[in-house]
Amino acid sequence: MGGILCPFFAEYSEFEAERFYNYYTSNGWLIGGKTKMIDWNAAARNWMLNTAKFTINLPQNSQVKEQPKAKHLQVTEDKNYAEPL
């Protein structure tokens, strides 16, 4: 990753710095897919403020516990739908 973002994210995780950089690099540093980013420092601060909203999308090897998804059944056993009722 570029050395410019590393000092800014020093108080946060390197993982979040990579996510921020990869996300905005992949969409051409546009906000909302339309507007060119003017202040990446402000965008990075907002990114860090909003990380809790997006913890569900983290890889399984992270330390964050995945939250249940809305309107999904929460079962603890596998079902065999080939068996008749």
Side-chain angles (χ1 to χ4, degrees):
M1 185 176 87
I4 265 181
L5 292 176
C6 291
F8 182 83
F9 280 93
E11 64 188 88
Y12 303 109
S13 71
E14 184 176 331
F15 178 73
E16 283 302 325
E18 287 287 334
R19 286 183 68 205
F20 174 84
Y21 180 80
N22 291 337
Y23 176 80
Y24 282 109
T25 300
S26 71
N27 71 13
W29 293 88
L30 299 176
I31 308 247
K34 301 180 216 175
T35 309
K36 186 175 179 179
M37 184 181 297
I38 296 171
D39 184 357
W40 71 264
N41 288 311
R45 284 191 301 272
N46 283 329
W47 181 276
M48 295 313 298
L49 289 172
N50 292 313
T51 55
K53 293 179 188 176
F54 303 106
T55 56
I56 293 174
N57 298 329
L58 294 177
Q60 292 298 326
N61 63 355
S62 70
Q63 299 294 330
V64 178
K65 184 178 178 182
E66 185 171 331
Q67 299 293 320
K69 297 177 184 174
K71 298 184 181 181
H72 283 79
L73 296 177
Q74 303 298 314
V75 295
T76 57
E77 60 186 74
D78 291 330
K79 304 285 184 184
N80 182 355
Y81 293 102
E83 293 179 10
L85 296 176

